Amino acid sequence: MIFRLDVTSGEPLFAQLAAQARLAVLRGELEPGERLPAARELADALDVNMHTVLHAYQELRDEGLVELRRGRGAVVAGRPPAELDAVQDAVAALVRAARDAHLSATTTTTLVQEAFQR
């Protein structure tokens, strides 16, 4: 799996990493039992602080998507909870509605972010 960071984004780097790993699990690109890159190696490859990577991995651990094992690193724990299927369905419906209303991806994303802030 290849991680990419957008340093110009307002989203924290650890959140970008966690989101990419989360999506890879949701899409089946990362299977249960598969190891994520070692934190130090990933940090070096992305030219970020190792604690940034560890923060992302800890967030994924807290969500139950990965297990952090001493000596083995971060391992995909299993499939995401079934509730995420409902979220994916809702997102697909939102995208269809946004397209029908001729809204851009940027406008739609802004609407979602504002809804989270309420």
Side-chain angles (χ1 to χ4, degrees):
M1 158 167 210
I2 297 174
F3 290 94
R4 290 191 173 84
L5 297 176
D6 180 1
V7 295
T8 64
S9 170
E11 184 177 24
L13 298 177
F14 81 89
Q16 291 181 45
L17 287 172
Q20 290 175 41
R22 192 178 298 113
L23 285 174
V25 171
L26 288 170
R27 293 179 181 143
E29 297 166 6
L30 287 174
E31 296 291 329
E34 194 169 342
R35 288 174 42 176
L36 295 175
R40 180 169 282 125
E41 292 172 16
L42 185 56
D44 288 345
L46 296 173
D47 196 28
V48 298
N49 188 295
M50 184 176 68
H51 294 287
T52 300
V53 177
L54 290 173
H55 191 169
Y57 285 2
Q58 289 166 349
E59 184 172 290
L60 295 167
R61 178 204 58 205
D62 293 346
E63 294 173 8
L65 292 179
V66 301
E67 295 174 356
L68 296 179
R69 300 177 184 165
R70 186 173 299 279
R72 288 202 58 212
V75 178
V76 177
R79 288 273 158 241
E83 295 85 6
L84 287 180
D85 289 336
V87 172
Q88 285 184 299
D89 292 343
V91 168
L94 171 65
V95 169
R96 283 191 301 276
R99 286 182 177 152
D100 290 347
H102 305 289
L103 295 176
S104 69
T106 302
T107 301
T108 305
T109 302
T110 300
L111 291 170
V112 170
Q113 289 173 339
E114 287 177 357
F116 266 106
Q117 292 174 358
R118 288 187 220 139

mmCIF file of all heavy atoms in Angstrom, residues 6-58:
data_model
loop_
_atom_site.group_PDB
_atom_site.id
_atom_site.type_symbol
_atom_site.label_atom_id
_atom_site.label_comp_id
_atom_site.label_asym_id
_atom_site.label_seq_id
_atom_site.Cartn_x
_atom_site.Cartn_y
_atom_site.Cartn_z
ATOM 1 N N ASP A 6 -0.671 15.133 1.814
ATOM 2 C CA ASP A 6 -0.810 16.463 1.221
ATOM 3 C C ASP A 6 -0.491 17.471 2.315
ATOM 4 O O ASP A 6 -1.331 17.753 3.172
ATOM 5 C CB ASP A 6 -2.233 16.658 0.694
ATOM 6 C CG ASP A 6 -2.458 18.028 0.068
ATOM 7 O OD1 ASP A 6 -1.497 18.839 0.016
ATOM 8 O OD2 ASP A 6 -3.593 18.288 -0.355
ATOM 9 N N VAL A 7 0.726 17.996 2.289
ATOM 10 C CA VAL A 7 1.157 18.919 3.331
ATOM 11 C C VAL A 7 0.436 20.260 3.238
ATOM 12 O O VAL A 7 0.469 21.048 4.179
ATOM 13 C CB VAL A 7 2.688 19.129 3.319
ATOM 14 C CG1 VAL A 7 3.405 17.835 3.667
ATOM 15 C CG2 VAL A 7 3.168 19.662 1.988
ATOM 16 N N THR A 8 -0.229 20.534 2.102
ATOM 17 C CA THR A 8 -0.969 21.791 1.952
ATOM 18 C C THR A 8 -2.395 21.669 2.488
ATOM 19 O O THR A 8 -3.087 22.666 2.618
ATOM 20 C CB THR A 8 -1.014 22.239 0.482
ATOM 21 O OG1 THR A 8 -1.740 21.268 -0.283
ATOM 22 C CG2 THR A 8 0.388 22.407 -0.075
ATOM 23 N N SER A 9 -2.814 20.460 2.795
ATOM 24 C CA SER A 9 -4.167 20.231 3.300
ATOM 25 C C SER A 9 -4.284 20.728 4.733
ATOM 26 O O SER A 9 -3.318 20.725 5.490
ATOM 27 C CB SER A 9 -4.481 18.732 3.262
ATOM 28 O OG SER A 9 -5.674 18.452 3.953
ATOM 29 N N GLY A 10 -5.473 21.136 5.107
ATOM 30 C CA GLY A 10 -5.720 21.540 6.484
ATOM 31 C C GLY A 10 -5.876 20.349 7.403
ATOM 32 O O GLY A 10 -5.897 20.483 8.628
ATOM 33 N N GLU A 11 -5.979 19.151 6.833
ATOM 34 C CA GLU A 11 -6.147 17.933 7.626
ATOM 35 C C GLU A 11 -4.795 17.505 8.191
ATOM 36 O O GLU A 11 -3.797 17.455 7.459
ATOM 37 C CB GLU A 11 -6.721 16.813 6.751
ATOM 38 C CG GLU A 11 -7.022 15.544 7.493
ATOM 39 C CD GLU A 11 -7.660 14.483 6.610
ATOM 40 O OE1 GLU A 11 -7.478 14.524 5.380
ATOM 41 O OE2 GLU A 11 -8.337 13.615 7.170
ATOM 42 N N PRO A 12 -4.726 17.183 9.483
ATOM 43 C CA PRO A 12 -3.454 16.765 10.080
ATOM 44 C C PRO A 12 -2.878 15.538 9.352
ATOM 45 O O PRO A 12 -3.623 14.693 8.844
ATOM 46 C CB PRO A 12 -3.819 16.412 11.524
ATOM 47 C CG PRO A 12 -5.104 17.116 11.780
ATOM 48 C CD PRO A 12 -5.814 17.200 10.463
ATOM 49 N N LEU A 13 -1.566 15.439 9.327
ATOM 50 C CA LEU A 13 -0.903 14.343 8.627
ATOM 51 C C LEU A 13 -1.307 12.985 9.188
ATOM 52 O O LEU A 13 -1.538 12.038 8.430
ATOM 53 C CB LEU A 13 0.616 14.531 8.679
ATOM 54 C CG LEU A 13 1.152 15.798 8.011
ATOM 55 C CD1 LEU A 13 2.661 15.893 8.196
ATOM 56 C CD2 LEU A 13 0.773 15.846 6.546
ATOM 57 N N PHE A 14 -1.399 12.858 10.517
ATOM 58 C CA PHE A 14 -1.778 11.571 11.109
ATOM 59 C C PHE A 14 -3.177 11.175 10.659
ATOM 60 O O PHE A 14 -3.449 9.998 10.401
ATOM 61 C CB PHE A 14 -1.686 11.597 12.646
ATOM 62 C CG PHE A 14 -2.869 12.215 13.323
ATOM 63 C CD1 PHE A 14 -3.968 11.455 13.667
ATOM 64 C CD2 PHE A 14 -2.891 13.578 13.606
ATOM 65 C CE1 PHE A 14 -5.074 12.024 14.294
ATOM 66 C CE2 PHE A 14 -3.980 14.157 14.210
ATOM 67 C CZ PHE A 14 -5.080 13.384 14.561
ATOM 68 N N ALA A 15 -4.073 12.164 10.525
ATOM 69 C CA ALA A 15 -5.441 11.873 10.098
ATOM 70 C C ALA A 15 -5.468 11.427 8.641
ATOM 71 O O ALA A 15 -6.266 10.554 8.272
ATOM 72 C CB ALA A 15 -6.325 13.098 10.308
ATOM 73 N N GLN A 16 -4.618 12.016 7.816
ATOM 74 C CA GLN A 16 -4.529 11.591 6.419
ATOM 75 C C GLN A 16 -4.062 10.142 6.324
ATOM 76 O O GLN A 16 -4.615 9.347 5.561
ATOM 77 C CB GLN A 16 -3.560 12.488 5.640
ATOM 78 C CG GLN A 16 -4.048 13.905 5.431
ATOM 79 C CD GLN A 16 -3.053 14.731 4.647
ATOM 80 O OE1 GLN A 16 -2.514 14.272 3.637
ATOM 81 N NE2 GLN A 16 -2.801 15.953 5.100
ATOM 82 N N LEU A 17 -3.048 9.790 7.115
ATOM 83 C CA LEU A 17 -2.547 8.417 7.119
ATOM 84 C C LEU A 17 -3.616 7.438 7.588
ATOM 85 O O LEU A 17 -3.836 6.392 6.967
ATOM 86 C CB LEU A 17 -1.321 8.299 8.027
ATOM 87 C CG LEU A 17 -0.028 8.905 7.516
ATOM 88 C CD1 LEU A 17 1.038 8.878 8.602
ATOM 89 C CD2 LEU A 17 0.440 8.172 6.284
ATOM 90 N N ALA A 18 -4.281 7.776 8.683
ATOM 91 C CA ALA A 18 -5.316 6.903 9.222
ATOM 92 C C ALA A 18 -6.449 6.726 8.217
ATOM 93 O O ALA A 18 -6.952 5.612 8.021
ATOM 94 C CB ALA A 18 -5.848 7.458 10.545
ATOM 95 N N ALA A 19 -6.848 7.807 7.558
ATOM 96 C CA ALA A 19 -7.932 7.732 6.580
ATOM 97 C C ALA A 19 -7.569 6.824 5.417
ATOM 98 O O ALA A 19 -8.397 6.033 4.950
ATOM 99 C CB ALA A 19 -8.285 9.131 6.083
ATOM 100 N N GLN A 20 -6.325 6.913 4.945
ATOM 101 C CA GLN A 20 -5.908 6.073 3.828
ATOM 102 C C GLN A 20 -5.886 4.595 4.212
ATOM 103 O O GLN A 20 -6.324 3.735 3.444
ATOM 104 C CB GLN A 20 -4.542 6.525 3.314
ATOM 105 C CG GLN A 20 -4.605 7.853 2.612
ATOM 106 C CD GLN A 20 -3.254 8.361 2.212
ATOM 107 O OE1 GLN A 20 -2.404 7.595 1.749
ATOM 108 N NE2 GLN A 20 -3.028 9.652 2.378
ATOM 109 N N ALA A 21 -5.396 4.299 5.396
ATOM 110 C CA ALA A 21 -5.386 2.912 5.861
ATOM 111 C C ALA A 21 -6.809 2.415 6.074
ATOM 112 O O ALA A 21 -7.151 1.287 5.709
ATOM 113 C CB ALA A 21 -4.579 2.791 7.146
ATOM 114 N N ARG A 22 -7.652 3.256 6.653
ATOM 115 C CA ARG A 22 -9.053 2.911 6.896
ATOM 116 C C ARG A 22 -9.752 2.562 5.574
ATOM 117 O O ARG A 22 -10.456 1.557 5.468
ATOM 118 C CB ARG A 22 -9.743 4.095 7.585
ATOM 119 C CG ARG A 22 -11.090 3.811 8.147
ATOM 120 C CD ARG A 22 -11.656 5.051 8.851
ATOM 121 N NE ARG A 22 -10.844 5.477 9.986
ATOM 122 C CZ ARG A 22 -10.156 6.618 10.049
ATOM 123 N NH1 ARG A 22 -10.171 7.483 9.051
ATOM 124 N NH2 ARG A 22 -9.459 6.928 11.120
ATOM 125 N N LEU A 23 -9.550 3.394 4.564
ATOM 126 C CA LEU A 23 -10.162 3.140 3.258
ATOM 127 C C LEU A 23 -9.626 1.862 2.629
ATOM 128 O O LEU A 23 -10.381 1.117 1.993
ATOM 129 C CB LEU A 23 -9.922 4.329 2.319
ATOM 130 C CG LEU A 23 -10.769 5.563 2.593
ATOM 131 C CD1 LEU A 23 -10.330 6.714 1.694
ATOM 132 C CD2 LEU A 23 -12.244 5.272 2.383
ATOM 133 N N ALA A 24 -8.344 1.588 2.807
ATOM 134 C CA ALA A 24 -7.768 0.358 2.262
ATOM 135 C C ALA A 24 -8.401 -0.873 2.900
ATOM 136 O O ALA A 24 -8.672 -1.866 2.223
ATOM 137 C CB ALA A 24 -6.253 0.347 2.459
ATOM 138 N N VAL A 25 -8.693 -0.802 4.197
ATOM 139 C CA VAL A 25 -9.366 -1.910 4.876
ATOM 140 C C VAL A 25 -10.796 -2.038 4.355
ATOM 141 O O VAL A 25 -11.261 -3.133 4.036
ATOM 142 C CB VAL A 25 -9.343 -1.722 6.409
ATOM 143 C CG1 VAL A 25 -10.223 -2.753 7.099
ATOM 144 C CG2 VAL A 25 -7.911 -1.801 6.938
ATOM 145 N N LEU A 26 -11.490 -0.914 4.230
ATOM 146 C CA LEU A 26 -12.868 -0.937 3.737
ATOM 147 C C LEU A 26 -12.967 -1.510 2.329
ATOM 148 O O LEU A 26 -13.908 -2.227 2.000
ATOM 149 C CB LEU A 26 -13.467 0.473 3.739
ATOM 150 C CG LEU A 26 -13.802 1.070 5.084
ATOM 151 C CD1 LEU A 26 -14.146 2.549 4.946
ATOM 152 C CD2 LEU A 26 -14.970 0.321 5.705
ATOM 153 N N ARG A 27 -11.995 -1.188 1.495
ATOM 154 C CA ARG A 27 -12.003 -1.655 0.108
ATOM 155 C C ARG A 27 -11.474 -3.080 -0.037
ATOM 156 O O ARG A 27 -11.489 -3.642 -1.120
ATOM 157 C CB ARG A 27 -11.154 -0.723 -0.749
ATOM 158 C CG ARG A 27 -11.715 0.658 -0.898
ATOM 159 C CD ARG A 27 -10.798 1.510 -1.745
ATOM 160 N NE ARG A 27 -11.325 2.850 -1.870
ATOM 161 C CZ ARG A 27 -10.582 3.941 -1.895
ATOM 162 N NH1 ARG A 27 -9.259 3.854 -1.812
ATOM 163 N NH2 ARG A 27 -11.133 5.123 -2.014
ATOM 164 N N GLY A 28 -10.961 -3.640 1.044
ATOM 165 C CA GLY A 28 -10.403 -4.985 0.978
ATOM 166 C C GLY A 28 -8.981 -5.024 0.457
ATOM 167 O O GLY A 28 -8.452 -6.097 0.167
ATOM 168 N N GLU A 29 -8.346 -3.851 0.325
ATOM 169 C CA GLU A 29 -6.959 -3.798 -0.131
ATOM 170 C C GLU A 29 -5.998 -4.262 0.960
ATOM 171 O O GLU A 29 -4.897 -4.715 0.665
ATOM 172 C CB GLU A 29 -6.597 -2.387 -0.583
ATOM 173 C CG GLU A 29 -7.404 -1.915 -1.778
ATOM 174 C CD GLU A 29 -7.299 -0.410 -2.016
ATOM 175 O OE1 GLU A 29 -6.504 0.262 -1.323
ATOM 176 O OE2 GLU A 29 -8.032 0.091 -2.883
ATOM 177 N N LEU A 30 -6.414 -4.100 2.200
ATOM 178 C CA LEU A 30 -5.678 -4.618 3.358
ATOM 179 C C LEU A 30 -6.556 -5.681 4.003
ATOM 180 O O LEU A 30 -7.687 -5.395 4.395
ATOM 181 C CB LEU A 30 -5.370 -3.504 4.365
ATOM 182 C CG LEU A 30 -4.298 -2.496 3.976
ATOM 183 C CD1 LEU A 30 -4.222 -1.369 5.007
ATOM 184 C CD2 LEU A 30 -2.940 -3.182 3.860
ATOM 185 N N GLU A 31 -6.040 -6.878 4.093
ATOM 186 C CA GLU A 31 -6.800 -8.008 4.622
ATOM 187 C C GLU A 31 -6.482 -8.245 6.089
ATOM 188 O O GLU A 31 -5.390 -7.883 6.556
ATOM 189 C CB GLU A 31 -6.448 -9.265 3.822
ATOM 190 C CG GLU A 31 -6.850 -9.206 2.364
ATOM 191 C CD GLU A 31 -8.349 -9.235 2.166
ATOM 192 O OE1 GLU A 31 -9.052 -9.859 2.986
ATOM 193 O OE2 GLU A 31 -8.817 -8.620 1.188
ATOM 194 N N PRO A 32 -7.409 -8.871 6.820
ATOM 195 C CA PRO A 32 -7.126 -9.229 8.210
ATOM 196 C C PRO A 32 -5.837 -10.043 8.309
ATOM 197 O O PRO A 32 -5.587 -10.932 7.494
ATOM 198 C CB PRO A 32 -8.348 -10.064 8.611
ATOM 199 C CG PRO A 32 -9.444 -9.550 7.730
ATOM 200 C CD PRO A 32 -8.776 -9.233 6.420
ATOM 201 N N GLY A 33 -5.010 -9.683 9.288
ATOM 202 C CA GLY A 33 -3.738 -10.354 9.493
ATOM 203 C C GLY A 33 -2.585 -9.701 8.755
ATOM 204 O O GLY A 33 -1.418 -9.993 9.033
ATOM 205 N N GLU A 34 -2.884 -8.825 7.800
ATOM 206 C CA GLU A 34 -1.837 -8.158 7.042
ATOM 207 C C GLU A 34 -1.194 -7.071 7.893
ATOM 208 O O GLU A 34 -1.872 -6.360 8.629
ATOM 209 C CB GLU A 34 -2.433 -7.552 5.775
ATOM 210 C CG GLU A 34 -1.419 -7.136 4.750
ATOM 211 C CD GLU A 34 -2.047 -6.794 3.415
ATOM 212 O OE1 GLU A 34 -3.205 -7.193 3.159
ATOM 213 O OE2 GLU A 34 -1.365 -6.117 2.644
ATOM 214 N N ARG A 35 0.114 -6.943 7.756
ATOM 215 C CA ARG A 35 0.853 -5.952 8.543
ATOM 216 C C ARG A 35 0.944 -4.636 7.785
ATOM 217 O O ARG A 35 1.162 -4.616 6.580
ATOM 218 C CB ARG A 35 2.253 -6.457 8.848
ATOM 219 C CG ARG A 35 2.241 -7.573 9.870
ATOM 220 C CD ARG A 35 3.569 -8.196 10.101
ATOM 221 N NE ARG A 35 4.648 -7.222 10.179
ATOM 222 C CZ ARG A 35 5.887 -7.525 10.444
ATOM 223 N NH1 ARG A 35 6.231 -8.771 10.648
ATOM 224 N NH2 ARG A 35 6.817 -6.596 10.490
ATOM 225 N N LEU A 36 0.769 -3.554 8.531
ATOM 226 C CA LEU A 36 1.024 -2.223 7.985
ATOM 227 C C LEU A 36 2.531 -1.984 8.034
ATOM 228 O O LEU A 36 3.233 -2.638 8.806
ATOM 229 C CB LEU A 36 0.285 -1.168 8.806
ATOM 230 C CG LEU A 36 -1.242 -1.235 8.772
ATOM 231 C CD1 LEU A 36 -1.829 -0.205 9.717
ATOM 232 C CD2 LEU A 36 -1.754 -1.009 7.374
ATOM 233 N N PRO A 37 3.023 -1.032 7.262
ATOM 234 C CA PRO A 37 4.465 -0.755 7.312
ATOM 235 C C PRO A 37 4.893 -0.373 8.728
ATOM 236 O O PRO A 37 4.132 0.237 9.479
ATOM 237 C CB PRO A 37 4.623 0.440 6.365
ATOM 238 C CG PRO A 37 3.427 0.414 5.479
ATOM 239 C CD PRO A 37 2.317 -0.175 6.302
ATOM 240 N N ALA A 38 6.116 -0.732 9.063
ATOM 241 C CA ALA A 38 6.668 -0.347 10.365
ATOM 242 C C ALA A 38 6.644 1.172 10.476
ATOM 243 O O ALA A 38 6.894 1.885 9.501
ATOM 244 C CB ALA A 38 8.090 -0.866 10.509
ATOM 245 N N ALA A 39 6.313 1.661 11.652
ATOM 246 C CA ALA A 39 6.166 3.105 11.860
ATOM 247 C C ALA A 39 7.426 3.867 11.471
ATOM 248 O O ALA A 39 7.359 4.895 10.801
ATOM 249 C CB ALA A 39 5.792 3.392 13.315
ATOM 250 N N ARG A 40 8.559 3.367 11.872
ATOM 251 C CA ARG A 40 9.818 4.074 11.568
ATOM 252 C C ARG A 40 10.074 4.100 10.060
ATOM 253 O O ARG A 40 10.447 5.127 9.496
ATOM 254 C CB ARG A 40 10.989 3.412 12.298
ATOM 255 C CG ARG A 40 12.311 4.098 12.018
ATOM 256 C CD ARG A 40 13.419 3.627 12.939
ATOM 257 N NE ARG A 40 13.235 4.287 14.222
ATOM 258 C CZ ARG A 40 13.124 3.663 15.392
ATOM 259 N NH1 ARG A 40 13.196 2.363 15.448
ATOM 260 N NH2 ARG A 40 12.952 4.329 16.510
ATOM 261 N N GLU A 41 9.844 2.975 9.392
ATOM 262 C CA GLU A 41 10.060 2.908 7.942
ATOM 263 C C GLU A 41 9.110 3.836 7.199
ATOM 264 O O GLU A 41 9.507 4.545 6.266
ATOM 265 C CB GLU A 41 9.878 1.480 7.446
ATOM 266 C CG GLU A 41 10.933 0.521 7.912
ATOM 267 C CD GLU A 41 10.617 -0.918 7.556
ATOM 268 O OE1 GLU A 41 9.740 -1.161 6.696
ATOM 269 O OE2 GLU A 41 11.245 -1.814 8.149
ATOM 270 N N LEU A 42 7.837 3.839 7.609
ATOM 271 C CA LEU A 42 6.851 4.696 6.948
ATOM 272 C C LEU A 42 7.170 6.166 7.190
ATOM 273 O O LEU A 42 7.084 6.989 6.272
ATOM 274 C CB LEU A 42 5.438 4.358 7.421
ATOM 275 C CG LEU A 42 4.304 5.094 6.723
ATOM 276 C CD1 LEU A 42 4.344 4.894 5.203
ATOM 277 C CD2 LEU A 42 2.952 4.630 7.273
ATOM 278 N N ALA A 43 7.556 6.484 8.413
ATOM 279 C CA ALA A 43 7.917 7.867 8.729
ATOM 280 C C ALA A 43 9.100 8.324 7.879
ATOM 281 O O ALA A 43 9.083 9.434 7.328
ATOM 282 C CB ALA A 43 8.244 7.997 10.214
ATOM 283 N N ASP A 44 10.096 7.466 7.734
ATOM 284 C CA ASP A 44 11.256 7.811 6.903
ATOM 285 C C ASP A 44 10.849 7.980 5.445
ATOM 286 O O ASP A 44 11.278 8.922 4.777
ATOM 287 C CB ASP A 44 12.346 6.743 7.022
ATOM 288 C CG ASP A 44 13.058 6.757 8.365
ATOM 289 O OD1 ASP A 44 12.924 7.757 9.107
ATOM 290 O OD2 ASP A 44 13.738 5.754 8.682
ATOM 291 N N ALA A 45 9.998 7.074 4.949
ATOM 292 C CA ALA A 45 9.583 7.131 3.545
ATOM 293 C C ALA A 45 8.775 8.387 3.247
ATOM 294 O O ALA A 45 8.874 8.952 2.154
ATOM 295 C CB ALA A 45 8.769 5.889 3.195
ATOM 296 N N LEU A 46 7.976 8.825 4.227
ATOM 297 C CA LEU A 46 7.117 9.997 4.027
ATOM 298 C C LEU A 46 7.767 11.288 4.528
ATOM 299 O O LEU A 46 7.183 12.359 4.383
ATOM 300 C CB LEU A 46 5.774 9.793 4.735
ATOM 301 C CG LEU A 46 4.918 8.654 4.198
ATOM 302 C CD1 LEU A 46 3.704 8.438 5.097
ATOM 303 C CD2 LEU A 46 4.487 8.930 2.766
ATOM 304 N N ASP A 47 8.920 11.157 5.134
ATOM 305 C CA ASP A 47 9.634 12.304 5.702
ATOM 306 C C ASP A 47 8.792 13.035 6.744
ATOM 307 O O ASP A 47 8.601 14.251 6.693
ATOM 308 C CB ASP A 47 10.087 13.267 4.596
ATOM 309 C CG ASP A 47 11.143 14.243 5.083
ATOM 310 O OD1 ASP A 47 11.897 13.897 6.021
ATOM 311 O OD2 ASP A 47 11.211 15.369 4.535
ATOM 312 N N VAL A 48 8.227 12.235 7.672
ATOM 313 C CA VAL A 48 7.459 12.779 8.791
ATOM 314 C C VAL A 48 8.015 12.198 10.080
ATOM 315 O O VAL A 48 8.776 11.225 10.076
ATOM 316 C CB VAL A 48 5.943 12.474 8.684
ATOM 317 C CG1 VAL A 48 5.349 13.116 7.453
ATOM 318 C CG2 VAL A 48 5.663 10.984 8.718
ATOM 319 N N ASN A 49 7.621 12.766 11.185
ATOM 320 C CA ASN A 49 8.020 12.284 12.490
ATOM 321 C C ASN A 49 7.374 10.923 12.746
ATOM 322 O O ASN A 49 6.213 10.697 12.398
ATOM 323 C CB ASN A 49 7.571 13.302 13.549
ATOM 324 C CG ASN A 49 8.107 12.977 14.915
ATOM 325 O OD1 ASN A 49 7.766 11.954 15.503
ATOM 326 N ND2 ASN A 49 8.937 13.864 15.435
ATOM 327 N N MET A 50 8.107 10.018 13.368
ATOM 328 C CA MET A 50 7.580 8.689 13.660
ATOM 329 C C MET A 50 6.326 8.763 14.532
ATOM 330 O O MET A 50 5.419 7.945 14.407
ATOM 331 C CB MET A 50 8.634 7.824 14.345
ATOM 332 C CG MET A 50 8.154 6.400 14.568
ATOM 333 S SD MET A 50 9.393 5.309 15.253
ATOM 334 C CE MET A 50 9.594 5.980 16.877
ATOM 335 N N HIS A 51 6.241 9.758 15.397
ATOM 336 C CA HIS A 51 5.078 9.893 16.271
ATOM 337 C C HIS A 51 3.814 10.223 15.471
ATOM 338 O O HIS A 51 2.707 9.908 15.901
ATOM 339 C CB HIS A 51 5.342 10.938 17.353
ATOM 340 C CG HIS A 51 6.418 10.511 18.296
ATOM 341 N ND1 HIS A 51 6.245 9.528 19.237
ATOM 342 C CD2 HIS A 51 7.705 10.901 18.398
ATOM 343 C CE1 HIS A 51 7.365 9.346 19.899
ATOM 344 N NE2 HIS A 51 8.284 10.171 19.404
ATOM 345 N N THR A 52 3.974 10.840 14.308
ATOM 346 C CA THR A 52 2.830 11.103 13.436
ATOM 347 C C THR A 52 2.233 9.778 12.970
ATOM 348 O O THR A 52 1.014 9.583 13.003
ATOM 349 C CB THR A 52 3.270 11.951 12.217
ATOM 350 O OG1 THR A 52 3.795 13.192 12.687
ATOM 351 C CG2 THR A 52 2.128 12.192 11.259
ATOM 352 N N VAL A 53 3.090 8.859 12.554
ATOM 353 C CA VAL A 53 2.644 7.538 12.108
ATOM 354 C C VAL A 53 2.039 6.772 13.282
ATOM 355 O O VAL A 53 0.962 6.161 13.156
ATOM 356 C CB VAL A 53 3.800 6.746 11.474
ATOM 357 C CG1 VAL A 53 3.347 5.343 11.088
ATOM 358 C CG2 VAL A 53 4.353 7.492 10.258
ATOM 359 N N LEU A 54 2.706 6.809 14.424
ATOM 360 C CA LEU A 54 2.179 6.108 15.595
ATOM 361 C C LEU A 54 0.818 6.648 16.012
ATOM 362 O O LEU A 54 -0.063 5.880 16.418
ATOM 363 C CB LEU A 54 3.174 6.201 16.752
ATOM 364 C CG LEU A 54 4.452 5.392 16.580
ATOM 365 C CD1 LEU A 54 5.428 5.705 17.710
ATOM 366 C CD2 LEU A 54 4.148 3.908 16.506
ATOM 367 N N HIS A 55 0.626 7.954 15.907
ATOM 368 C CA HIS A 55 -0.665 8.566 16.225
ATOM 369 C C HIS A 55 -1.744 8.003 15.307
ATOM 370 O O HIS A 55 -2.846 7.656 15.753
ATOM 371 C CB HIS A 55 -0.564 10.083 16.107
ATOM 372 C CG HIS A 55 -1.729 10.823 16.657
ATOM 373 N ND1 HIS A 55 -1.722 12.172 16.830
ATOM 374 C CD2 HIS A 55 -2.963 10.426 17.066
ATOM 375 C CE1 HIS A 55 -2.884 12.565 17.317
ATOM 376 N NE2 HIS A 55 -3.650 11.517 17.455
ATOM 377 N N ALA A 56 -1.438 7.896 14.009
ATOM 378 C CA ALA A 56 -2.391 7.323 13.054
ATOM 379 C C ALA A 56 -2.703 5.873 13.417
ATOM 380 O O ALA A 56 -3.868 5.460 13.443
ATOM 381 C CB ALA A 56 -1.839 7.409 11.636
ATOM 382 N N TYR A 57 -1.688 5.100 13.716
ATOM 383 C CA TYR A 57 -1.879 3.698 14.070
ATOM 384 C C TYR A 57 -2.684 3.555 15.364
ATOM 385 O O TYR A 57 -3.527 2.661 15.489
ATOM 386 C CB TYR A 57 -0.536 2.984 14.203
ATOM 387 C CG TYR A 57 0.147 2.676 12.881
ATOM 388 C CD1 TYR A 57 -0.402 3.052 11.655
ATOM 389 C CD2 TYR A 57 1.353 2.000 12.856
ATOM 390 C CE1 TYR A 57 0.230 2.767 10.455
ATOM 391 C CE2 TYR A 57 1.995 1.703 11.658
ATOM 392 C CZ TYR A 57 1.429 2.087 10.463
ATOM 393 O OH TYR A 57 2.063 1.784 9.288
ATOM 394 N N GLN A 58 -2.446 4.440 16.319
ATOM 395 C CA GLN A 58 -3.202 4.379 17.573
ATOM 396 C C GLN A 58 -4.679 4.707 17.339
ATOM 397 O O GLN A 58 -5.559 4.104 17.953
ATOM 398 C CB GLN A 58 -2.587 5.315 18.608
ATOM 399 C CG GLN A 58 -1.261 4.809 19.130
ATOM 400 C CD GLN A 58 -0.475 5.856 19.896
ATOM 401 O OE1 GLN A 58 -0.804 7.037 19.900
ATOM 402 N NE2 GLN A 58 0.602 5.423 20.544
#
